[in-house]
Amino acid sequence: MYRVSEEPLSLDELLRDVSHQGAGAVVLFLGVVRDNNEGRDVNYLEYEAHEAAAEASMRRIGEEAESRWPGARIAASHRTGRLEIGEPSVIVAASAPHRAEAFEAARYVIDTLKAETPIWKKEVFEGGEVWIGEGA
Amino acid sequence: MLRLRYNLRDMSATNSTTITVKLLLFAQFREALGGKERQIEVDPGTTPRELLARVSAGTVRLEALQAVTRFLVNSEFVSGDEPLLDGDELAFVPPVAGGLT
């Protein structure tokens, strides 16, 4: 399951999606809105996505992970819109026969997703705002 | 944005001399240009990269992004150097969220 949506993320749904009888390990990664960045006090974040392309990108990355770590199963979900401090913006679930592959696959998926998937993040802080990735 | 080109051959033909592209705007492009999408008429043969240069011209913030912006045509990443076709849906992709969680 790969989803980009304004709705709050569901851990249960992702967990269910990757669980199966051959999975001895499940890793859940949550990216959470932090209250500070580069010395600034963050008020909130706004995420914006090209939904069709973002879901396709997440699916491609997940399928890549599944072929690289045999037995792995991946699901990922990303939220858009305004997110407050402490709210999860992204969840990656990775199951695998053993924990080493589950950790590695989850890490691969979140790192690649953050570098490639067309989702943009605006940080609104005390005294201004900035699109992350602008090279400010 | 709207640009028409006339020449004798085109004027004698019944077909339009331009094609229409749907431009989806995100992040800095949405804020700087206003609106989430717009229809743009361009000359046949125009590439995404050329259109990016055209809409960014005169906006310092967008000009600064040109070298790092990627292109989606009909939701697929493309090089940006192939001509657009009538009815294509083009999105500019400025640098994505990235960063350290």
Side-chain angles (χ1 to χ4, degrees):
Chain A
M1 185 199 98
Y2 301 92
R3 183 181 299 155
V4 175
S5 156
E6 289 201 355
E7 301 301 313
L9 303 175
S10 163
L11 265 179
D12 287 347
E13 205 176 2
L14 275 89
L15 189 54
R16 217 177 306 126
D17 199 63
V18 300
S19 296
H20 63 102
Q21 296 197 339
V26 178
V27 167
L28 289 170
F29 169 84
L30 281 71
V32 180
V33 179
R34 193 176 58 229
D35 71 356
N36 69 92
N37 191 34
E38 297 178 357
R40 301 183 289 255
D41 288 333
V42 173
N43 290 342
Y44 61 91
L45 298 181
E46 276 180 16
Y47 284 90
E48 188 173 328
H50 184 307
E51 285 188 16
E55 287 184 357
S57 165
M58 287 158 65
R59 178 178 307 280
R60 188 188 55 72
I61 294 164
E63 288 173 355
E64 243 167 55
E66 286 171 350
S67 69
R68 194 156 151 186
W69 287 278
R73 199 177 286 182
I74 306 294
S77 193
H78 206 300
R79 214 174 152 190
T80 54
R82 173 175 168 152
L83 296 188
E84 308 297 332
I85 310 297
E87 286 192 282
S89 57
V90 57
I91 302 178
V92 171
S95 69
H98 307 285
R99 66 183 180 282
E101 301 97 289
F103 275 117
E104 284 171 23
R107 167 129 207 190
Y108 172 80
V109 170
I110 186 62
D111 286 353
T112 312
L113 185 159
K114 288 216 138 205
E116 293 182 5
T117 301
I119 296 176
W120 299 274
K121 174 167 77 175
K122 184 163 77 173
E123 181 186 303
V124 180
F125 55 90
E126 290 300 328
E129 56 182 45
V130 63
W131 287 97
I132 302 301
E134 199 158 16
Chain B
M1 218 59 58
L2 189 132
R3 184 167 155 227
L4 296 171
R5 180 204 281 168
Y6 296 102
N7 63 44
L8 287 175
R9 193 187 60 221
D10 289 339
M11 288 179 76
S12 66
T14 53
N15 288 338
S16 161
T17 60
T18 59
I19 60 170
T20 302
V21 171
K22 183 179 181 181
L23 183 59
L24 302 181
L25 300 170
F26 296 99
Q28 296 98 319
F29 287 93
R30 178 179 54 73
E31 288 186 344
L33 300 172
K36 290 185 174 179
E37 61 178 69
R38 57 174 69 179
Q39 302 285 336
I40 292 192
E41 289 188 44
V42 299
D43 292 326
T46 302
T47 66
R49 199 177 301 284
E50 288 166 353
L51 193 52
L52 171 65
R54 197 179 307 167
V55 304
S56 303
T59 307
V60 174
R61 187 178 176 205
L62 298 185
E63 285 176 343
L65 287 171
Q66 267 194 70
V68 290
T69 292
R70 295 179 294 156
F71 307 95
L72 285 163
V73 171
N74 304 326
S75 301
E76 301 277 346
F77 279 106
V78 298
S79 72
D81 299 317
E82 298 291 323
L84 289 158
L85 302 175
D86 191 45
D88 273 350
E89 185 184 84
L90 168 66
F92 298 136
V93 182
V96 296
L100 304 169
T101 297

